[in-house]
Amino acid sequence: MDFINFMQPCYDDKEKEAVTKYINSGGWLTEFKETRNFEASIAEYTSSKYCSVMTNGTVTLIAALMAMDIKPGDEVIVPDFTMSATSHAAAILGAKPIFVDVERSTLCMDFAKMQTAVSEKTKAVIFVDLNGRYSSEFEKIITFCKANGLWLIEDAAQALGSSYKGKSLGTFGDIGSFSFSMPKIITTGQGGAVITDSEELYDRMLKIRDFGREKAGADHYLAIGANFKYTDLQAVVGIEQMKKMPARIMHKKDICKKYDSLLAKIDGIEIFNNNYEDTAPCFYEVLCDKRDELIDFLKSKNIGARKFYPPLHSEPAYGYTDKHFPVTEEISAKGLWLPSSVLLTDEQIEYICGCVEEFCSENY
Ligand SMILES: *Cc1c(COP(=O)(O)O)cnc(C)c1O
């Protein structure tokens, strides 16, 4: 078996032809009509009014927080278990990320614990649709934020193609944010998008992404902004990737169901209970209390697995070593992602699960 990567981008002749056609057209590479078309396809797919595509899924979070006027000293509630961009986006603006533990079943922010984290300084909540899931008290979180005048950002970087009650994830807050980095369900190398139904927030984000300009090309600055602009060269790839979403979602679900069926009964392995009606997982997750040994064993078998994120609160960048978030601490120590690329074949999944079984039969 050749090495099986944890993740791999997936593209074919469609992307190749689109890039060639674009280059042959003499396009200026930077964002223009194709970026607008990519935005339109995301807005349509998620049934949202507005979409703005930017450099990546970290700056989309920063732009969203800037549009909400988050300032130094403000507090932004974030889950302790997430990709670091969620909390960094708040911290880089001088705001204080307030970490909250997650639910054991969904790995999404725990509503009861979130409520206790709210203070007079709280301005926003960033809810992460972790691995395409929503929490068991999702609606309560949305209602609570509205009732208490808190902005709600949905970090849906791992949730394009997943839904709640038939509505796309990313549409439940004031702003939703996506990423098109390499491990995500569709990729343009780097890239991100914000969606919103608020014209006001959208207008602010358009300015923020373009130096605060009144409009493109005008040297008149209505706000402080940066350059978070995208490129048409990437947009033509994104447009082709979007067309593949329906097939890709089915494939992701099939991969996870196949893993579920082969791993469910193995002693030493705990799997998650996904609702595949709604969730198209980005990654296939398992828990194992000999996680590091399992990862090393898989590597020796040419299989790339990856550890879960660390509890962010105690990372040196934040250093809240006096605080404890028991669920995050437990699952961060036990969790790993098995290869989850849409390029995985059934044969590879069977091989991977056979290796997991071999490890567990020797260790449990
Ligand atoms: C990938 C990811 C991001 C960051 O996106 P980039 O495009 O890599 O900057 C943010 N939040 C979550 C939950 C992610 O998975």
Side-chain angles (χ1 to χ4, degrees):
M1 265 292 164
D2 287 339
F3 193 82
I4 305 173
N5 288 304
F6 159 59
M7 273 295 176
Q8 232 176 299
C10 179
Y11 56 85
D12 57 28
D13 284 349
K14 296 281 187 214
E15 284 80 0
K16 203 160 127 188
E17 283 158 19
V19 170
T20 307
K21 191 173 156 212
Y22 179 73
I23 293 286
N24 288 340
S25 78
W28 288 13
L29 309 179
T30 186
E31 65 149 32
F32 193 47
K33 286 185 186 160
E34 299 298 350
T35 302
R36 302 293 88 83
N37 292 337
F38 185 30
E39 287 168 343
S41 77
I42 297 162
E44 191 194 339
Y45 185 82
T46 56
S47 302
S48 27
K49 276 196 190 147
Y50 307 104
C51 173
S52 170
V53 168
M54 303 186 208
T55 321
N56 59 57
T58 305
V59 301
T60 48
L61 292 171
I62 295 172
L65 290 164
M66 286 174 75
M68 294 167 174
D69 203 23
I70 302 301
K71 290 201 178 68
D74 291 343
E75 293 182 354
V76 177
I77 294 180
V78 297
D80 195 33
F81 184 70
T82 177
M83 197 262 158
S84 60
T86 314
S87 54
H88 285 351
I92 217 161
L93 294 174
K96 188 173 178 194
I98 303 294
F99 294 100
V100 167
D101 210 353
V102 294
E103 295 179 338
R104 181 69 163 69
S105 54
T106 65
L107 307 186
C108 292
M109 187 147 38
D110 184 305
F111 176 55
K113 292 174 186 168
M114 182 196 111
Q115 282 174 284
T116 67
V118 175
S119 82
E120 279 172 7
K121 293 181 183 164
T122 309
K123 293 282 157 55
V125 172
I126 308 182
F127 182 90
V128 179
D129 305 316
L130 200 99
N131 210 13
R133 287 186 294 258
Y134 45 83
S135 75
S136 67
E137 297 185 293
F138 194 42
E139 284 183 34
K140 287 188 189 160
I141 290 179
I142 299 160
T143 313
F144 179 88
C145 288
K146 277 210 183 89
N148 290 280
L150 302 176
W151 293 109
L152 177 61
I153 295 175
E154 219 186 319
D155 182 351
Q158 302 174 2
L160 186 67
S162 295
S163 59
Y164 174 71
K165 293 192 173 167
K167 200 168 171 275
S168 284
L169 290 184
T171 60
F172 291 92
D174 299 290
I175 295 175
S177 173
F178 296 105
S179 162
F180 311 119
S181 67
M182 193 283 291
K184 305 293 155 57
I185 189 160
I186 65 161
T187 182
T188 61
Q190 300 285 352
V194 278
I195 53 170
T196 182
D197 281 349
S198 160
E199 189 178 359
E200 196 180 339
L201 289 172
Y202 174 66
D203 280 345
R204 286 188 207 157
M205 290 190 285
L206 291 190
K207 292 186 179 70
I208 289 160
R209 80 174 180 197
D210 190 18
F211 305 106
R213 281 187 173 120
E214 181 181 28
K215 56 179 191 275
D219 278 326
H220 183 46
Y221 303 95
L222 301 184
I224 301 292
N227 180 0
F228 294 159
K229 292 192 296 290
Y230 200 56
T231 70
D232 268 15
L233 190 58
Q234 291 167 290
V236 297
V237 173
I239 291 164
E240 293 307 318
Q241 294 262 302
M242 280 303 286
K243 291 180 192 162
K244 295 172 178 166
M245 274 300 287
R248 208 163 272 194
I249 289 169
M250 287 204 318
H251 196 166
K252 279 272 185 191
K253 291 178 181 177
D254 286 346
I255 287 171
C256 292
K257 287 180 197 164
K258 176 125 185 131
Y259 267 128
D260 282 352
S261 70
L262 293 171
L263 296 175
K265 293 205 173 68
I266 298 182
D267 278 343
I269 294 293
E270 182 182 339
I271 64 173
F272 283 82
N273 185 12
N274 280 311
N275 164 4
Y276 294 115
E277 282 294 307
D278 292 350
T279 296
C282 227
F283 317 110
Y284 191 79
E285 313 142 307
V286 298
L287 301 176
C288 172
D289 56 16
K290 292 188 177 134
R291 189 263 315 271
D292 293 352
E293 293 101 306
L294 175 56
I295 289 180
D296 288 345
F297 179 81
L298 292 174
K299 203 169 171 198
S300 76
K301 301 281 183 182
N302 267 352
I303 297 166
R306 199 182 142 169
K307 276 190 211 186
F308 269 19
Y309 309 123
L312 283 177
H313 74 276
S314 60
E315 284 296 287
Y318 295 102
Y320 298 123
T321 43
D322 55 330
K323 296 218 166 103
H324 285 288
F325 300 91
V327 177
T328 300
E329 284 164 32
E330 187 221 347
I331 55 113
S332 288
K334 287 187 188 170
L336 68 149
W337 291 294
L338 294 176
S340 308
S341 145
V342 275
L343 293 171
L344 270 186
T345 62
D346 277 357
E347 194 193 0
Q348 285 174 318
I349 298 173
E350 282 156 21
Y351 170 73
I352 295 162
C353 294
C355 292
V356 171
E357 195 164 10
E358 186 185 336
F359 174 86
C360 290
S361 66
E362 286 164 12
N363 285 276
Y364 292 94

